[in-house]
Amino acid sequence: MKFQLTLNLVLAAFALLAHAAPISHNEIATKSAKGLRLLSLAEGVDPVWKTEDEKLELMRAGIKFFDVTEVYELEKLAPVENDFSVAATFPSPSHQSALAPILAAVSTANMQSNLNSLTAFNNRYYKSTTGASASTWILNTVKSITSSRSDITSALYSHSFVQSSIIVKIPGKVASTPVTILGAHMDSINLSSPTSGRAPGADDDGTGSVNLIEALRVLVAAGFTPSTPVEFHWYAGEEAGLLGSQAIATAYKNAGTKVKAFMELDMSGYFKPGTTEVMALQADYIDAGLNTFLKALITTYSRIPWAMDIPCGYACSDHASWYKAGFPSSFPYEAITGNDNPNVHSSTDTTSVNGFSWAHSIEFAKIDQDRVLELESVFKLAVVSKVGELTPLLNVPSVL
Ligand SMILES: *[C@@H]1O[C@H](CO)[C@@H](O)[C@H](O)[C@H]1NC(C)=O
Ligand SMILES: [Zn+2]
């Protein structure tokens, strides 16, 4: 008994050595008031304080992190409940005939038009006025798409910075939970001059953002009434440490909201010319069962095969925020890392970048010759349309 107690004390002392004491409320209040940010740079390692300049240097060096300044205390309010040793299970795809007309209605012209509007903002940086205006633009766009449906709600989700996230909720016909969430990030960044520099963010993450807008449009047009709720999220501040998605995922966890599945679309419009076109499934910070389901969906509904990406790493995109909150997450990406878009986070992330292969235009081969010129501008979005096909599928329309 005595030995046991001593051993426990020794183990407790070791645990204290491995992890510093939790950061106090007072320390967070004082340091964040001075403009410091609390960054979590690796799994299981205590977060560290950095200045905004140091944070930007990390971003320029390509080092990913969660900026946990505002969620550190909130994350400790409720435990993470899901058991990651048990993969989530999902049914086999079985709604091919119901989905066929919905998928056929996905319009690359609409996506291009919406992408033109998003890239017209000088940048969509989370601290810039144009970044805030881009939030309002997305809100107005989704409100207009859903105006015929009084049951669907669209709202801004405010943060401590000027850019807001946007949440669209389609209620469940049978149950109010669990929720299926499709996400993309609406912000963009010019790493050399974040606040005022040009950052069209066409691919990162304009493509994922317009995939979601178009998926919402075709579902609403089809009278989509899911059995369990479906939500569409456009996150603010992803580039600055997954700010929007962490705030929302933590709030859902603390409210006891059950999430069935989360899928992130962050870049879907590019693959390196000469490489084989794939949908690259992220292999880490995801749910293996959800990935199995995604593989079946891609095999059933897309002309492009899936492939496993190399590990994306810690805090790679918004799916990591939902994973951290204990929910099944997934992230199909435009290409295997290395064959993805090299123009991100700069003024050259535009729709005219060389790299959207003509091979994608095969989808448009049936289009009238008169529209060949138009093809040149829309072929770039061919991959987008294919990933766009995925978005309605996570929660198949059991009630149409
Ligand atoms: C950032 O924007 C400025 C001005 O718009 C531009 O000159 C510069 O090349 C951009 N930096 C990057 C990394 O694209
Ligand atoms: Zn991105």
Side-chain angles (χ1 to χ4, degrees):
M1 228 16 208
K2 188 157 188 258
F3 172 77
Q4 191 74 43
L5 181 65
T6 310
L7 185 66
N8 281 347
L9 284 173
V10 170
L11 287 174
F14 267 107
L16 281 175
L17 281 176
H19 286 282
I23 298 166
S24 69
H25 174 75
N26 191 41
E27 180 175 344
I28 291 176
T30 312
K31 292 196 169 158
S32 62
K34 286 183 186 154
L36 294 173
R37 304 299 302 183
L38 186 60
L39 307 187
S40 175
L41 289 154
E43 180 97 53
V45 176
D46 292 323
V48 289
W49 289 103
K50 298 281 180 191
T51 64
E52 287 281 3
D53 282 348
E54 288 168 339
K55 178 178 163 180
L56 194 53
E57 283 312 314
L58 290 171
M59 288 153 69
R60 287 176 178 145
I63 294 167
K64 298 276 194 172
F65 52 81
F66 289 104
D67 181 334
V68 297
T69 315
E70 283 153 47
V71 295
Y72 181 84
E73 292 177 278
L74 296 173
E75 283 179 337
K76 295 185 174 358
L77 291 180
V80 169
E81 279 182 5
N82 281 13
D83 176 1
F84 285 107
S85 65
V86 182
T89 56
F90 297 88
S92 301
S94 62
H95 296 74
Q96 287 91 330
S97 56
L99 276 165
I102 300 177
L103 298 182
V106 173
S107 157
T108 51
N110 281 342
M111 289 192 280
Q112 187 182 23
S113 164
N114 288 331
L115 194 56
N116 287 346
S117 297
L118 282 177
T119 56
F121 293 102
N122 178 49
N123 62 49
R124 303 190 299 278
Y125 191 55
Y126 76 116
K127 288 182 179 179
S128 75
T129 51
T130 49
S133 303
S135 286
T136 310
W137 182 86
I138 293 177
L139 178 69
N140 290 340
T141 302
V142 296
K143 277 195 179 240
S144 142
I145 285 171
T146 58
S147 62
S148 63
R149 290 276 297 270
S150 58
D151 59 324
I152 300 179
T153 60
S154 308
L156 294 179
Y157 189 101
S158 302
H159 302 289
S160 62
F161 40 90
V162 294
Q163 186 172 70
S164 297
S165 299
I166 298 101
I167 297 182
V168 172
K169 296 184 178 185
I170 308 177
K173 196 167 183 175
V174 174
S176 62
T177 191
V179 185
T180 299
I181 302 171
L182 306 176
H185 71 86
M186 55 144 310
D187 62 315
S188 69
I189 188 169
N190 170 322
L191 273 179
S192 59
S193 180
T195 311
S196 60
R198 174 77 177 126
D203 196 19
D204 187 10
D205 181 22
T207 48
S209 295
V210 301
N211 288 158
L212 292 198
I213 293 171
E214 183 62 4
L216 176 66
R217 187 191 68 79
V218 296
L219 286 171
V220 168
F224 182 56
T225 51
S227 51
T228 52
V230 174
E231 297 186 9
F232 290 75
H233 295 184
W234 290 264
Y235 299 118
E238 187 268 355
E239 302 288 6
L242 313 177
L243 295 170
S245 58
Q246 280 190 96
I248 295 169
T250 304
Y252 278 43
K253 186 201 73 172
N254 287 353
T257 304
K258 300 284 178 231
V259 176
K260 176 155 73 176
F262 173 81
M263 183 174 81
E264 170 79 353
L265 288 180
D266 183 358
M267 298 169 62
S268 63
Y270 175 101
F271 72 95
K272 189 175 178 179
T275 63
T276 303
E277 192 179 356
V278 295
M279 288 188 187
L281 301 185
Q282 297 312 302
D284 51 352
Y285 301 98
I286 51 80
D287 181 274
L290 187 53
N291 257 7
T292 301
F293 181 55
L294 267 182
K295 289 173 187 173
L297 290 178
I298 291 167
T299 303
T300 306
Y301 292 103
S302 174
R303 69 176 175 82
I304 304 173
W306 60 266
M308 291 310 297
D309 202 350
I310 58 174
C312 189
Y314 190 68
C316 162
S317 186
D318 296 309
H319 65 295
S321 299
W322 291 92
Y323 178 90
K324 187 167 66 151
F327 301 118
S329 78
S330 60
F331 176 17
Y333 190 50
E334 62 186 7
I336 299 288
T337 301
N339 295 338
D340 52 347
N341 198 327
N343 301 283
V344 299
H345 308 157
S346 79
S347 54
T348 58
D349 183 5
T350 69
T351 53
S352 50
V353 62
N354 174 30
F356 289 89
S357 167
W358 271 110
H360 290 295
S361 71
I362 199 161
E363 283 295 299
F364 299 87
K366 57 188 179 228
I367 296 179
D368 191 292
Q369 285 294 312
D370 289 342
R371 299 179 65 191
V372 163
L373 279 179
E374 189 185 339
L375 274 185
E376 190 166 357
S377 52
V378 298
F379 84 92
K380 298 162 189 163
L381 288 162
V383 184
V384 177
S385 75
K386 292 300 130 189
V387 177
E389 283 182 4
L390 274 176
T391 53
L393 303 177
L394 270 181
N395 188 300
V396 286
S398 51
V399 193
L400 267 176

